[in-house]
Structure formats: C-alpha cells, structure tokens
Amino acid sequence: MAKSQSRKNIVLLSVWVVLVLLTILAYNYNPYERKSTSFEKDLFAIENAMQSILRIELNGQDFKNTLEKNGNSWTVNQEYLLDASMQQVFFKLLEQVSIQRPITGENSAKIKQNVLDSGVQVTIYGNEGILNSYTVGGDFQAMRSYFVKGEDVYLMQLPGYQSYVAGIYEVPENDWRDRVIFDGIWQDMVSLKIDRPNKETVEFKYDNRLMRIQNQQADSAEVMNFVERFNYFFVDQFLPEDHIALQKRESFDKAGTIEIEGLDKDKSLRLELFKNPEFNAYLVHINGKEWAAIRNERMEKLWIELEKL
C-alpha cells in the first residue's frame, strides 16, 4: 500500500497479473505440441479442479491456510468466504501447472533442502482422499519455482508464460478473503449517508422504488448511477495489524464516513476513511473492527461523482 511497497506485495502483484491473464487465455492458448518425455509433465496438474477438489491445505513457515468447499461456497480457514477471482485463478493454475524439467546433479540436494526449509507444504483433497501432496518454494528474483515430491525436485512452469508459480501458494489469509463488504445492491439499502470534513452531509433514502437524495434537487438518473457504485461494495485489500499503514495511522487525516443502513441489519455498514498523501490508498475502518484499504483512484472518483449531484 505504501509507495515503498514491500517485496511480498510486488511478488503477489506479479503473480496476480500473470495468472489473471491465464484465466482469460487458458482454454484458447496451447503453444506447445506435447511430445514424449522421460518424465510425466502433468504430475501435479489436477483435471477439472473445481469439481475434483474439496479442500486445500497450505502450510507455510508462519501461516496455515485451508481453502475448503462448504456446500456451494468456499471458505478460508472456516471463517471467511473465499474470493471468487482468487479461486478461479488458483484452480486454473492447479489444472495447467506443468513440470519444465527435473532438477538433477549437485544442485538438486541444496534446492530440495531450501524448499523443504522455507517452502509451503501443499495437500489437496478430493472425494477419495488425498489427490496430491508436495512442497512448493522458489526464487522470485530468478522467477524459478520448485515443487518437491518425495525424493524428487522439479522446476515448474505455466506453459507459455514466464511467471513465479510459487507466489500464489504464499498468499496470506487476508488476500484469499472475499473483499465484498456490502453484500447487496441499492434495493437492499434503507439509506446511504456520506459525511466529509468541511462538506455538507449527503444522505440518500429509499423512496418509491428509488434511492433519492435528501434536502436538495438532483437528477434521479444521476443519483441512481452514483448509488449503484455501492452495489456489492468491496475493499481492495484487508490489512493485517502489523501493516505499515496501520503502524503510521496517526499520520492519516480523517477523510469522511460512509454509512449504509441495510434492510437486513446484519448488512448495515459504517466505514471511517483516512488519507495520507504518502500512501496510494485510503485507510478504511470497517464497523470499528477491522482495517482495509481502498485505492485512491476509486475513492477520488466517488468524491468527484458526489460533487456533481
């Protein structure tokens, strides 16, 4: 979130960009004709991952994430809904990941030990038990990812792409989570109120099948276009307590509050927003409990649209 982003954020961003491209192109892009080899290139690939997998355990050196199917939904650590985009990207990787070559020779033992010492233990379950189990690690600077299974070490790839395959296995809990914080549309709202420093409070209320702005004249179509920005409203990132922005939150100025009263009281939402010019996102305090971030360009666009009403 800070301009001087941590290396982990750079890793995750790089992986995200490559893998989102993969989800778009995977079914149409087949750059290589398969040829017979002395090893099984698809040893780690899982056919029809969405249908085959019931649970994935990712055990790192300082984290444990379990992605698990629960009825028609997927959960993260039995506490949060799994983000649909992350699920799609990860499962597509699980279907497409391929062995580039086995690692042999004098470097094999060293690489294997490094992966076992610092990597992520992966166990994938289906209806009949364990579908696959291996340890993932790598070298981001060299864009090399290794899978260790038994005594063997493999250099991994996504065919046709240069990418750090291991990166997505290292994603922290917060980045697996569904980022939607208002799970509904304007018809699920009783009211929407926005209060900013040195600005007049703006309030919208449901009235005669539309959301209408209170105490001022405005084009109803423009009002609805604005209010619909809050349909399935999401944050860009949930923040852990040790995030650098939270460590410096006293340097942030209050930027306003957004309150949504829902027809379902459990969907009601209060957001406190804070801004610091040194950071490229707003800090967001959700219902006085957890913290998240929303990119500057998203919030600034909302403010501009609000001013036009």
Side-chain angles (χ1 to χ4, degrees):
M1 175 179 162
K3 289 181 180 178
S4 56
Q5 296 179 14
S6 67
R7 176 179 170 182
K8 178 178 285 187
N9 285 338
I10 296 174
V11 171
L12 295 176
L13 179 59
S14 300
V15 172
W16 177 254
V17 170
V18 171
L19 295 181
V20 166
L21 289 174
L22 175 65
T23 66
I24 299 172
L25 301 174
Y27 286 118
N28 300 315
Y29 186 69
N30 184 19
Y32 301 117
E33 179 183 355
R34 291 192 179 277
K35 299 179 181 179
S36 60
T37 60
S38 59
F39 58 91
E40 185 182 355
K41 298 189 72 171
D42 296 332
L43 176 63
F44 298 97
I46 296 178
E47 187 175 357
N48 296 322
M50 286 286 192
Q51 289 73 41
S52 303
I53 297 172
L54 295 181
R55 187 169 81 253
I56 303 172
E57 295 178 356
L58 306 171
N59 295 326
Q61 300 305 303
D62 55 1
F63 68 86
K64 180 177 181 179
N65 290 322
T66 299
L67 315 179
E68 189 167 14
K69 191 172 185 179
N70 185 5
N72 294 324
S73 301
W74 278 79
T75 60
V76 181
N77 296 332
Q78 298 183 334
E79 187 173 359
Y80 307 108
L81 287 175
L82 174 62
D83 181 81
S85 297
M86 285 293 290
Q87 180 186 356
Q88 185 179 22
V89 167
F90 188 36
F91 278 43
K92 191 57 60 180
L93 178 145
L94 293 174
E95 292 178 343
Q96 298 289 326
V97 70
S98 174
I99 296 172
Q100 183 171 338
R101 60 180 171 83
I103 301 297
T104 58
E106 60 184 20
N107 286 332
S108 175
K110 181 179 179 181
I111 291 173
K112 175 184 175 182
Q113 197 59 51
N114 284 340
V115 172
L116 294 177
D117 287 345
S118 60
V120 179
Q121 175 62 42
V122 181
T123 309
I124 303 174
Y125 297 86
N127 283 318
E128 305 300 324
I130 295 177
L131 296 176
N132 216 329
S133 180
Y134 48 91
T135 305
V136 174
D139 180 348
F140 171 68
Q141 295 296 335
M143 296 294 283
R144 291 178 177 269
S145 299
Y146 303 101
F147 285 12
V148 173
K149 188 175 180 66
E151 297 300 317
D152 299 316
V153 185
Y154 302 94
L155 178 65
M156 304 302 297
Q157 65 175 349
L158 293 174
Y161 298 89
Q162 183 180 9
S163 59
Y164 183 57
V165 173
I168 197 166
Y169 294 87
E170 301 165 356
V171 166
E173 178 188 70
N174 276 340
D175 291 337
W176 286 112
R177 292 176 55 182
D178 183 2
R179 294 171 292 119
V180 173
I181 56 175
F182 180 69
D183 186 17
I185 63 174
W186 62 270
Q187 290 170 309
D188 298 306
M189 299 179 189
V190 174
S191 65
L192 167 66
K193 184 165 70 173
I194 300 175
D195 188 10
R196 292 182 292 161
N198 304 316
K199 300 284 186 180
E200 184 176 351
T201 299
V202 181
E203 186 170 11
F204 308 83
K205 288 188 176 181
Y206 188 88
D207 177 33
N208 193 24
R209 295 181 295 180
L210 291 174
M211 292 290 285
R212 302 182 188 277
I213 197 167
Q214 304 297 294
N215 301 321
Q216 69 181 68
Q217 295 296 317
D219 181 84
S220 59
E222 292 296 327
V223 168
M224 291 305 304
N225 286 338
F226 177 78
V227 171
E228 285 177 344
R229 292 283 187 181
F230 293 89
N231 291 353
Y232 300 106
F233 193 70
F234 64 94
V235 295
D236 292 297
Q237 184 182 14
F238 287 100
L239 303 180
E241 293 182 359
D242 61 352
H243 194 280
I244 185 173
L246 296 182
Q247 294 174 1
K248 297 184 176 182
R249 64 176 176 264
E250 291 185 359
S251 68
F252 282 70
D253 295 324
K254 291 183 179 180
T257 60
I258 297 174
E259 296 180 74
I260 296 175
E261 181 184 353
L263 285 170
D264 179 349
K265 296 299 182 184
D266 290 337
K267 289 186 176 181
S268 293
L269 191 66
R270 177 180 169 82
L271 306 178
E272 298 175 84
L273 296 112
F274 303 86
K275 186 177 181 183
N276 181 331
E278 295 183 2
F279 289 79
N280 60 13
Y282 282 70
L283 272 182
V284 186
H285 203 194
I286 305 170
N287 292 331
K289 297 177 181 178
E290 57 185 334
W291 291 87
I294 297 177
R295 291 176 292 109
N296 283 345
E297 53 265 38
R298 276 187 63 206
M299 285 308 307
E300 298 298 342
K301 188 172 183 179
L302 278 174
W303 298 153
I304 290 172
E305 291 180 350
L306 182 62
E307 294 292 339
K308 291 181 178 179
L309 295 179

